Amino acid sequence: MKTALIPTAAGLTALATPVLADLEYNLGSGATLTFYGQLNPAIISVDDGRDSETNLLDNDLSNSRIGLRYSTPFGNNTFQFRLETGLGLPNSSEVSQSGSDYSRFTRDDIRHFDFSLEGAWGQVSLGQGSMAADGVAENDLSYVGTALYSFTADANPSFLFRDGFDVLSGPAIGDTTDNFDGSRRGRIRYDSPDFSGFSFSAAAGENILDQEDENEYYDVAVFYNASIGGGAEMSAGLAYQERNGTDSDRSDIVASASVLLQSGLGFTAAIGDRDDDASGASDPRYYYAKVSYEADWLPMGKTGIGLHYWDGSDFNVDGSDSDVWGIGVVQEVKRLNTDLYLTYQEYDYSDSTGDFQDNSTIVLGALWKF
């Protein structure tokens, strides 16, 4: 067993204590400059069926980052610039049973370097930023969605499954579960105005942060956000995305929907199907479901709880079966602009070579935003 020094929950909260005041500045003539960011430290404990390892890491669920937004009127339109980057802290995606491989800060940490022009006709964006399908698999109105959502391998993607003989012969967890959500690329993107809750997006781009990636990326998406009566809210999305490469093409169809009732009860679902033309590649698919509830039980802020299940087939290799279930709670600390969260998830994988031992992962974290 490998165990790192574990701080208390109070220590995590201390890390989230605000140190910055009002970070929006009026530059005159309607122009504004806003600084923002977040820290997301988490204690992550992974058990592969024989050994367990516990570390304090930056949670890749929503990594620590800083950014700025500049906005100014441009005729009847609004011109905007956004710069955002991760901090390059030791990350939950860089640890496995073999140890750690921290990359520190690299250009892959650059999330946005993005210019846009917005008006009554919609918005055009150019630069490094979200493709049209980014977020389409993750429509989630539940408060517990801060820590428990359709992508299930943020905390342990590099850990290997262990077989029945205690050998690390299985695939990495990150190869056996995914939600096919859209990505960030160097792209040109168009977003339509809102039409009775519906909006449309389309984008084309390349992975400008990876010189070895010569693929071209295209996607289109439609989103729906509205109140649906009785105080209920609904958010949904559907996207088609395509990767055209020198060796093979790949396409995804992805959708998700979430409903939050006035009572605090919520339901979230997602599905995805991938068609990969690469020789020997599998064509995986999945479905996802979550039930959640939220209420103001404590004076410090809202509490959200949830239970979810993810089921996939043909991930990693044809004929494989992957299952993930998890439970979580998120507690708002409104005074500190912080969410404290605790999750437990269990991962099961099998393929033609046999069944592998389950992996279980516990995460205790604090997400502070400014």
Side-chain angles (χ1 to χ4, degrees):
M1 176 184 293
K2 301 177 183 178
T3 304
L5 179 64
I6 302 176
T8 64
L12 284 175
T13 305
L15 287 173
T17 302
V19 295
L20 298 173
D22 187 358
L23 296 178
E24 182 173 319
Y25 301 93
N26 189 338
L27 304 180
S29 303
T32 60
L33 182 64
T34 304
F35 294 92
Y36 65 93
Q38 65 181 46
L39 292 175
N40 194 9
I43 301 168
I44 300 174
S45 182
V46 181
D47 189 323
D48 63 17
R50 191 190 77 175
D51 297 329
S52 62
E53 181 169 342
T54 301
N55 295 282
L56 175 61
L57 298 165
D58 192 40
N59 194 346
D60 198 51
L61 177 147
S62 184
N63 67 344
S64 297
R65 64 191 69 158
I66 56 173
L68 65 84
R69 294 187 182 93
Y70 171 75
S71 177
T72 187
F74 188 81
N76 294 324
N77 306 304
T78 301
F79 172 80
Q80 300 175 78
F81 169 69
R82 182 180 183 185
L83 173 63
E84 182 181 296
T85 180
L87 299 181
L89 301 177
N91 191 277
S92 60
S93 65
E94 301 173 317
V95 178
S96 70
Q97 293 100 328
S98 299
S100 59
D101 185 21
Y102 300 139
S103 61
R104 298 181 174 84
F105 180 84
T106 70
R107 62 182 180 180
D108 288 335
D109 288 300
I110 301 173
R111 298 170 54 84
H112 293 273
F113 192 93
D114 188 17
F115 301 88
S116 65
L117 188 66
E118 182 178 10
W121 43 270
Q123 177 175 288
V124 172
S125 304
L126 180 66
Q128 170 70 15
S130 294
M131 295 286 287
D134 192 10
V136 75
E138 299 169 0
N139 287 284
D140 195 331
L141 296 174
S142 68
Y143 201 76
V144 75
T146 298
L148 201 70
Y149 72 123
S150 64
F151 189 79
T152 60
D154 292 299
N156 57 4
S158 298
F159 280 84
L160 303 178
F161 280 99
R162 192 179 292 276
D163 66 20
F165 300 98
D166 284 342
V167 178
L168 294 173
S169 63
I173 289 173
D175 293 329
T176 67
T177 175
D178 199 350
N179 64 4
F180 307 151
D181 194 51
S183 56
R184 290 180 300 276
R185 299 284 183 251
R187 87 295 188 232
I188 183 169
R189 168 175 170 165
Y190 170 74
D191 292 274
S192 76
D194 182 276
F195 299 103
S196 300
F198 288 94
S199 61
F200 168 82
S201 301
E206 298 180 354
N207 189 354
I208 60 176
L209 301 181
D210 186 351
Q211 295 178 339
E212 297 182 359
D213 187 347
E214 298 180 354
N215 297 300
E216 297 177 345
Y217 296 86
Y218 307 92
D219 59 6
V220 292
V222 59
F223 292 91
Y224 178 73
N225 294 278
S227 300
I228 55 176
E233 300 290 330
M234 181 176 183
S235 178
L238 170 67
Y240 173 82
Q241 49 188 352
E242 189 170 293
R243 183 193 70 184
N244 294 339
T246 55
D247 299 322
S248 66
D249 296 339
R250 188 181 75 188
S251 61
D252 302 328
I253 297 176
V254 191
S256 67
S258 185
V259 175
L260 179 62
L261 305 180
Q262 190 175 30
S263 64
L265 187 64
F267 303 93
T268 301
I271 57 172
D273 188 278
R274 169 165 290 172
D275 183 6
D276 197 331
D277 292 340
S279 176
S282 58
D283 294 330
R285 62 194 60 84
Y286 78 91
Y287 70 85
Y288 169 84
K290 178 171 69 177
V291 59
S292 61
Y293 184 75
E294 56 198 60
D296 294 316
W297 288 325
L298 300 175
M300 68 178 68
K302 184 179 296 183
T303 306
I305 58 174
L307 175 69
H308 74 177
Y309 178 73
W310 181 99
D311 179 85
S313 59
D314 299 326
F315 280 80
N316 188 54
V317 295
D318 282 333
S320 68
D321 183 72
S322 306
D323 298 278
V324 184
W325 73 269
I327 187 169
V329 57
V330 176
Q331 177 60 55
E332 179 187 26
V333 185
K334 188 177 299 184
R335 183 176 61 86
L336 301 178
N337 202 30
T338 298
D339 285 331
L340 303 177
Y341 57 90
L342 175 65
T343 64
Y344 173 87
Q345 296 193 95
E346 191 163 298
Y347 304 78
D348 177 81
Y349 174 79
S350 62
D351 59 29
S352 60
T353 65
D355 293 328
F356 295 85
Q357 296 186 47
D358 290 353
N359 175 289
S360 60
T361 302
I362 300 172
V363 180
L364 172 64
L367 175 59
W368 168 57
K369 294 185 177 182
F370 63 86

